[in-house]
Amino acid sequence: MSASGGTKAIVAALGANLSIAVAKFVAFLFSGSSSMLAESVHSLADSGNQGLLLLGGKKAQREATPQHPFGYGRERYIYAFLVSIVLFSVGGMFAVYEGYEKVKHPHSLDNWYWPVGVLVFALIAEGYSFRTAIKESNQTRGVLSWTQFIRRAKAPELPVVLLEDFGALIGLVLALGGVGLAVATDNGVWDGIGTLCIGTLLILIALVLAAETKSLLLGESAGTEEVDKIKEAIVDHTTVTSVIHMRTLHLGPEELLVAAKIAVQHDDTAAEVARAINAAEVRIREAVPIVRVIYLEPDIYSEAEAAAGEDPRATPGGPSPVPDH
């Protein structure tokens, strides 16, 4: 997933959320609607989140240093994780608190047409932002379902914007329903219930984002398609006869580390093996351009090592197997 596509979606979402936040807060001042206050804080939180994503993308472009020899690509994951925390604490918990207070101490809405008009405007603006995120995501989503795309994407920006915009649209519908029922029944409790629903929705989305970005922070391997391409590129069937075992790790959304033990012929010279490894590295980068770091360790083929497969406890250099009790 390209960083440019993510940046375009972030900028579109930032512009929409800033304008919506101002409009919602004005509507809250004129109507006293807790749903509008919760939604204005929600939009402010989303705006801050988009700022965090842009900052993370900028910091991730720094050159590698002796202290961080693999670069700063994971900064994008860190800032995406911060987004989930902000969405949970600022957006979700505030809305739950405000909704509880409104249910406990309800009051009628003043100038109901202000929140309704702003909510309609917000639906249009959020719809545009959501449409932009969908359009940019479709360029890399391929045949994946939306759920698979969000779960498997290595670049966090588009999944974050997609979930935020989707949650915002549902939240606006909930706010519109709460305000509408409060006006129709002249009972402010409905406004509070709508606010509670918005808070619950934001917390759920924040938990999903936290789980996905946590997995990226811990370090995910390349996708199945990329792994197959790398294995195929390594083997030349002359000097390199097979891949005994291999590990891949995303150093960032567009940076991949490959470490593999490869089988060579027992009578090959050191010079022949070195040339084969150099050629394999070229083929790997041609097959999967995001590969940045490659470590290939030559060895004589062993059925025992090959049988260990991808199990890190069984392959050489991995931790010792945990004894059964």
Side-chain angles (χ1 to χ4, degrees):
M1 181 184 300
S2 67
S4 60
T7 301
K8 185 176 180 179
I10 294 170
V11 171
L14 178 60
N17 281 315
L18 285 174
S19 60
I20 290 170
V22 173
K24 287 175 179 176
F25 191 71
V26 170
F28 160 71
L29 293 177
F30 278 93
S31 67
S33 168
S34 65
S35 292
M36 294 309 303
L37 179 59
E39 276 294 306
S40 63
V41 173
H42 174 193
S43 294
L44 281 175
D46 281 354
S47 300
N49 289 342
Q50 275 106 47
L52 286 173
L53 292 176
L54 291 172
L55 179 62
K58 183 69 174 177
K59 286 183 170 291
Q61 295 174 6
R62 289 179 293 172
E63 296 293 330
T65 64
Q67 187 177 8
H68 298 93
F70 293 119
Y72 293 86
R74 288 195 180 182
E75 289 250 26
R76 288 166 68 180
Y77 300 151
I78 293 172
Y79 281 87
F81 189 76
L82 290 176
V83 164
S84 67
I85 295 174
V86 171
L87 193 62
F88 178 87
S89 58
V90 177
M93 296 305 292
F94 176 82
V96 169
Y97 170 78
E98 184 65 22
Y100 170 77
E101 287 295 318
K102 188 60 179 287
V103 170
K104 190 175 180 181
H105 306 290
H107 60 80
S108 300
L109 298 182
D110 300 321
N111 303 316
W112 59 267
Y113 43 84
W114 273 97
V116 170
V118 167
L119 287 172
V120 172
F121 161 73
L123 281 168
I124 296 172
E126 287 288 1
Y128 169 76
S129 174
F130 192 46
R131 178 179 175 274
T132 302
I134 289 174
K135 182 179 179 181
E136 296 300 321
S137 299
N138 280 335
Q139 296 180 10
T140 54
R141 183 169 66 95
V143 298
L144 296 177
S145 67
W146 286 108
T147 301
Q148 291 172 329
F149 173 73
I150 290 172
R151 297 198 63 179
R152 298 183 187 180
K154 305 304 180 184
E157 291 85 0
L158 283 176
V160 168
V161 174
L162 280 169
L163 284 174
E164 280 190 347
D165 286 350
F166 180 68
L169 287 170
I170 296 178
L172 289 168
V173 173
L174 292 173
L176 195 58
V179 170
L181 287 171
V183 172
T185 62
D186 197 27
N187 188 345
V189 169
W190 288 107
D191 188 32
I193 292 174
T195 308
L196 284 171
C197 291
I198 292 169
T200 303
L201 172 70
L202 294 179
I203 289 173
L204 290 175
I205 292 175
L207 292 175
V208 172
L209 283 177
E212 295 304 317
T213 51
K214 175 190 173 184
S215 178
L216 292 170
L217 276 171
L218 290 174
E220 289 190 357
S221 64
T224 304
E225 183 179 350
E226 286 78 14
V227 169
D228 291 341
K229 288 181 179 179
I230 292 169
K231 287 184 176 179
E232 184 178 349
I234 290 175
V235 178
D236 62 8
H237 300 290
T238 302
T239 303
V240 183
T241 58
S242 66
V243 176
I244 299 175
H245 60 81
M246 185 176 76
R247 302 281 183 273
T248 60
L249 178 68
H250 268 275
L251 303 173
E254 284 95 29
E255 297 174 275
L256 192 63
L257 179 147
V258 175
K261 176 167 282 194
I262 57 177
V264 298
Q265 304 288 355
H266 71 279
D267 55 352
D268 287 333
T269 66
E272 289 173 334
V273 172
R275 284 195 295 270
I277 288 176
N278 290 336
E281 290 177 349
V282 172
R283 293 194 301 271
I284 290 171
R285 291 191 170 97
E286 289 176 348
V288 183
I290 66 171
V291 174
R292 296 288 185 269
V293 183
I294 304 174
Y295 297 111
L296 300 180
E297 178 185 355
D299 199 354
I300 306 302
Y301 179 80
S302 166
E303 289 188 4
E305 290 183 4
E310 302 299 322
D311 185 357
R313 298 176 302 171
T315 51
S320 301
V322 179
D324 295 328
H325 296 286

